[in-house]
Amino acid sequence: MTDKTLQIKQEFLENLKGVKDIAGLETVKVQYLGKNGVITALMKDMKSLDAEKKKQFGQIVNELKTEVSNAVTDKFEELKKAAVEAEINLMEDFDVSTPANLERGSYHPITLVQRECEKIFKSMGFTVEDYSEIVTDYECFESLNIPKHHPARDMQDTYYLENGQLLKTQTSAAQNAIYRKYKDALINEGKPIKAIFPGRCFRNEATDACHENTFFQMEGVMVDKNISISNLIFFMKTMLSEVFRKDIKVRLRPGFFPFVEPGFELDISCLICGGDGCPSCKHSGWLELCPCGMIHPEVLKAGGIDPEEYTGFAFGLGLTRLAMMKYGVKDIRDLNSGNLKSLSQFTDDE
Ligand code: FA5
C-alpha cells in the first residue's frame, strides 16, 4: 500500500469504529465507496500515471476497495444482529403464553332472532335476500300500490335525501325487485318465488316502549299458482311455534295495507304482562307483530307477474318487537341503547 492508501484505510477504520447503527454505516459507505467517495476519487487520479505505475496503483486501490467493502458488509451483519438482540431483550417482559384477557363480544338480540328466523325459513325452502336501506319512492310506495298523495303514506313518514331517495320505511320496499329477480324462473321453469328479506327500517315517528324510529322487519313472500290464505297461515304458525317453542296466543284480524288484499294484522298476546296490559303493549294486552295478506294483483303486475295466473302471500314481521317478546325486553328503546351489559346477556354459543 502507498502512504496515501494506508492513511485512507486507517481513517476508514477509525470512522467505522464510531458507527452505531445502519444509517451511520450507510453514510460511511457512501463517503468511501460512493460515486464521489474517497476511493472512487483515487481511481480517477490514476489517469495521470504511466502504464506501469497505473497497473501497480490500480492493484493497490482495488485491494483497498475490497477491504473497505468487506469491512462494511461485516459491520452491517454485526449491526443487524445487535438490532435483533435488542428487540428480543425488549420483549423479555412479554410472556407470549399468557392467555388473552379480552372480553368476548356477543350477538345483539335482534341478530339472534333474525338468524333464527332465517334458519326456519331456509329449512322451508326460502332464499334470504339482502336489500338496500336507501330506496326510491317507486320501490317503497308506488310499486306497492301506494301512489303519491295516498293517505297510507301518512303512517310512514321517513327521512328523505336531497336526490329524492328515502330511507326505507318497510321491508316491503324490496318486493318489486324480488319479483323481477325471480319471475323468469317462476314463469319459464315453474319455480315458486319463496324469499325472505330482513332489513332495517326508518320512520319519522315518536318513540315509546314499543315504537322506535329505527327498527328491523323481515319481509316474506311466496308466489306460485294456487297460493291461498291457508298457505299463509301455515307458514305463520310454523314460524311462531319454532321461534317461541311454546304455546302463545295469537289473533288474526282484518288489516288494511294497499299492497295486499285481503290483509290481516297478526298480533300476539303480550309476553311481558301475559295479556293483562302494560306499556310494552300500549296497555292492550296484544302486540302487533306480523301483518300479512294476499299480494294485491297490481303489485304482482308491477313486478312483471300475471295476477290471473299466479297468486301469493306476503308478510312483514316486526323483528325488533319479536326480539322484545322473545327475550322479555320491556322497552324497545333498550335494544338500540348500546348498553352492552344488558344486551350481552342474550347471546348464544354460536
Ligand atoms: C308494514 O310495514 C307492512 N309493510 C307489513 C306488511 C308486509 C303487510 C307485507 C302486509 C304484507 P306495519 O307498519 O304495521 O306494516 O309494520 C309491520 C310491523 O313492523 C309491525 O307489526 C311491528 O311489529 C313493526 N313495526 C312497525 N313500526 C314499528 C316501530 N316504529 N317500531 C318498532 N316496530 C315497528
Side-chain angles (χ1 to χ4, degrees):
M1 282 220 176
T2 61
D3 289 349
K4 193 168 179 188
T5 52
L6 260 177
Q7 193 194 342
I8 290 174
K9 185 178 162 185
Q10 268 159 9
E11 271 173 21
F12 164 73
L13 292 173
E14 250 345 276
N15 281 339
L16 199 64
K17 251 193 229 161
V19 166
K20 296 270 178 300
D21 53 27
I22 289 173
L25 179 65
E26 190 59 27
T27 311
V28 174
K29 185 179 166 187
V30 172
Q31 190 184 339
Y32 286 86
L33 301 170
K35 229 165 55 187
N36 300 316
V38 179
I39 296 176
T40 321
L42 281 179
M43 302 271 207
K44 285 179 192 159
D45 284 352
M46 287 195 312
K47 278 186 203 152
S48 54
L49 300 176
D50 62 41
E52 188 54 28
K53 282 201 174 150
K54 205 188 255 180
K55 196 175 159 199
Q56 281 175 359
F57 192 66
Q59 253 175 3
I60 292 169
V61 174
N62 271 336
E63 266 169 36
L64 175 66
K65 196 177 168 189
T66 309
E67 274 183 55
V68 167
S69 61
N70 285 345
V72 167
T73 308
D74 291 348
K75 188 76 182 178
F76 178 76
E77 291 303 326
E78 184 191 310
L79 288 171
K80 213 167 75 177
K81 201 167 151 212
V84 172
E85 269 165 18
E87 233 170 85
I88 291 171
N89 287 341
L90 263 182
M91 284 169 69
E92 247 168 24
D93 292 339
F94 181 72
D95 180 358
V96 285
S97 63
T98 311
N101 189 21
L102 298 173
E103 278 202 22
R104 279 190 66 194
S106 57
Y107 288 110
H108 194 282
I110 299 173
T111 307
L112 293 174
V113 285
Q114 179 180 325
R115 288 192 174 180
E116 201 167 350
C117 290
E118 286 178 3
K119 222 177 190 169
I120 296 164
F121 278 97
K122 267 195 207 162
S123 75
M124 297 191 287
F126 284 70
T127 60
V128 181
E129 311 285 334
D130 195 15
Y131 208 67
S132 172
E133 290 179 350
I134 297 172
V135 296
T136 59
D137 186 273
Y138 179 79
E139 290 169 294
C140 202
F141 299 119
E142 297 229 10
S143 66
L144 292 165
N145 205 24
I146 312 176
K148 290 209 165 48
H149 313 299
H150 191 291
R153 289 193 180 213
D154 292 348
M155 289 180 293
Q156 297 195 9
D157 187 19
T158 184
Y159 307 91
Y160 286 83
L161 308 186
E162 277 171 5
N163 66 4
Q165 287 185 306
L166 49 107
L167 299 188
K168 74 168 181 252
T169 57
Q170 48 183 349
T171 42
S172 307
Q175 278 195 27
N176 189 262
I178 301 298
Y179 300 143
R180 296 202 161 274
K181 180 173 173 187
Y182 291 113
K183 74 176 168 47
D184 290 343
L186 170 74
I187 297 163
N188 303 329
E189 298 162 40
K191 276 191 188 161
I193 301 178
K194 290 169 88 177
I196 54 166
F197 23 111
R200 192 175 359 216
C201 303
F202 307 84
R203 289 187 196 176
N204 177 19
E205 63 181 35
T207 63
D208 59 29
C210 57
H211 288 88
E212 256 292 13
N213 51 28
T214 305
F215 57 95
F216 285 80
Q217 287 185 344
M218 192 185 82
E219 194 87 355
V221 294
M222 179 170 182
V223 182
D224 199 0
K225 288 186 174 160
N226 303 318
I227 296 293
S228 69
I229 295 175
S230 355
N231 297 107
L232 168 64
I233 291 172
F234 167 80
F235 282 105
M236 294 297 91
K237 266 189 175 166
T238 310
M239 185 257 300
L240 291 173
S241 68
E242 291 276 318
V243 169
F244 287 104
R245 295 201 192 105
K246 63 176 181 187
D247 275 343
I248 47 159
K249 254 172 60 191
V250 176
R251 73 175 185 192
L252 198 65
R253 60 194 168 94
F256 174 70
F257 301 91
F259 35 94
V260 284
E261 182 55 42
F264 307 98
E265 285 284 2
L266 189 153
D267 307 331
I268 63 168
S269 174
C270 178
L271 298 176
I272 305 288
C273 61
D276 294 340
C278 68
S280 309
C281 57
K282 285 202 282 184
H283 304 280
S284 72
W286 294 95
L287 202 74
E288 286 175 9
L289 185 70
C290 188
C292 49
M294 300 305 293
I295 303 166
H296 196 286
E298 288 302 322
V299 174
L300 286 175
K301 246 193 250 171
I305 296 168
D306 181 1
E308 297 290 330
E309 218 178 318
Y310 298 96
T311 50
F313 67 75
F315 63 86
L317 172 68
L319 267 187
T320 308
R321 282 199 191 159
L322 185 61
M324 261 179 96
M325 291 294 111
K326 174 145 172 128
Y327 295 110
V329 177
K330 289 186 181 150
D331 193 314
I332 199 168
R333 291 165 291 195
D334 289 341
L335 291 167
N336 278 357
S337 68
N339 181 345
L340 296 183
K341 219 168 179 184
S342 74
L343 293 174
S344 62
Q345 34 179 334
F346 309 107
T347 205
D348 59 10
D349 292 328
E350 247 185 274

